[in-house]
Amino acid sequence: MPAHTNTTMPEQTSLIQLLDNFDREEILNCMQCGFCLPACPTYRQTGKESASPRGRIALMKAVADQQLDVDAEFEQNMYLCLGCRACETACPAGVPYGSLIETARDVVESNKKNKSDHSLIRDLVFEEIFPHPERVDLLSSMLWASQALGLQKLANVTGLINILPRPMREMQTAVDQIASPWQRMKRERVMAPTGVPQKLRVGLFKGCIMDVMFYESNQATARVLTKAGCEVVFVEDQACCGALHAHSGEKKGAKELAKRNIEAFENAGVDLIVNNAGGCGAALKEYHHWFHDDPEWHERALAFVAKSRDANELVAELPVLPFTEALAGVRITYQDSCHLAHGQGVRQQPRHLLQSIPGVDYVEMSGADTCCGSAGIYNITNFELSMEVLDVKMENVKRTKAHVVVTSNPGCLLQMKKGIQRAGLEEHMEALHIMDLLDRAL
């Protein structure tokens, strides 16, 4: 009798190995109770079960059990998710949905790469741009030049801007003036405490997009920290946090970026690592999960996570800020960053800080912790649904009659600026990062 021949194709074997990435125990922890449904913005907008956390987890289970293919429909359902993690707050079983959706996307992208079916543009973004701070800096200089030379304005006036896809065309109108290369070159690498004794030496995680589009917010954060008694260090050799990679199924790249940041801040000799972007902070505080199968890096990541703080957390712990400017008659409201509220559990600290500013009239917004639709690059990849979610949010914003809507994440800030435009409120309202407002009052 002829010997048995293994007829399993290499491609099939590779896929089976990929499916082992799914944590079946966590998938099975989902009781399919439906508590997540009203918390999920994509389910509320579409009414589709496959657009809910419960539905997506069911699809993940079917794929992990090889009952469904890792096909275009599965990919679409996984990427329709905003990743806001409101479902984690609502879930009575504590299912870590954020890590499950990251794994699902990692399986999707790894499967496409195995088939040589990946995008060259995607490779350019995730391998040639974001991992290289000097290239991100070069792009920011090019964007500044286009603004300074009036090219952006000219493109809008002449209609030349219409060569861009609609999402990019729409979102560029919400981008403020970029800091010049000379401003960035003049940045002090170490900023000493002002007016108070030094309490801590902190390393500021400046981010990639944050430091390009909201450079002044980073500077404001540093100034607020110095007035709270911190020596602030802009740590050299830090890189992108890896959140964009992790949320886009590029887990290998995310881990490489995490290693670079862990090493950079280990070498910096700082007491704490402080960031002012909810999305980045959630990633930084979850580095240890990314290295669960690597004992050496897991231990180093745990030490990194133990030092990581959101700026709101730290400033709220320190003595009361020495405000010098009363913002009398200014009505403000707060829009929670999803990854700050749901991912990090930081909710009361920013509200406490805002209410401590002399003269402000603080108004709590209905549904403040519901997603604004930004979700990293979701407003580019899923523009229409992103705007639907934003328009719902803006109805709640308008009811506050606030002069300033405050948030703690660059994506949310850009989205709220766009929302103010769409609602026709430019004459009555502005969107600010919380550290910009605190800096203004100091």
Side-chain angles (χ1 to χ4, degrees), residues 357-384:
I357 299 173
V360 301
D361 176 16
Y362 178 81
V363 181
E364 184 66 26
M365 185 198 312
S366 175
D369 66 349
T370 58
C371 189
C372 66
S374 171
I377 57 172
Y378 194 91
N379 50 16
I380 300 297
T381 59
N382 291 278
F383 178 76
E384 295 296 341

Side-chain angles (χ1 to χ4, degrees), residues 55-93:
R56 292 188 187 100
I57 290 174
L59 292 173
M60 292 177 208
K61 181 178 184 301
V63 165
D65 293 340
Q66 299 182 60
Q67 295 173 345
L68 282 180
D69 294 330
V70 184
D71 57 14
E73 184 176 0
F74 179 74
E75 177 182 354
Q76 181 181 4
N77 284 317
M78 295 306 107
Y79 276 102
L80 191 66
C81 174
L82 285 149
C84 69
R85 297 170 65 173
C87 53
E88 291 187 16
T89 299
C91 180

Side-chain angles (χ1 to χ4, degrees), residues 6-17 114:
N6 185 355
T7 57
T8 303
M9 300 293 289
E11 187 178 293
Q12 179 72 7
T13 301
S14 181
L15 176 58
I16 292 170
Q17 291 171 342
N114 287 343

Side-chain angles (χ1 to χ4, degrees), residues 173-245:
T173 63
V175 176
D176 289 336
Q177 182 67 43
I178 302 297
S180 74
W182 298 278
Q183 283 177 281
R184 298 199 300 274
M185 287 171 61
K186 289 192 299 183
R187 168 184 273 162
E188 296 178 68
R189 297 303 171 190
V190 179
M191 295 174 63
T194 54
V196 289
Q198 181 173 326
K199 301 176 180 66
L200 293 166
R201 175 180 165 90
V202 303
L204 186 65
F205 186 84
K206 60 185 182 181
C208 46
I209 299 300
M210 186 74 196
D211 210 43
V212 170
M213 304 185 78
F214 300 107
Y215 171 89
E216 286 301 330
S217 296
N218 272 350
Q219 295 301 105
T221 302
R223 288 192 293 268
V224 170
L225 288 168
T226 61
K227 290 177 181 178
C230 297
E231 180 183 55
V232 180
V233 182
F234 284 89
V235 175
E236 299 289 340
D237 300 323
Q238 60 175 290
C240 171
C241 67
L244 186 60
H245 285 70

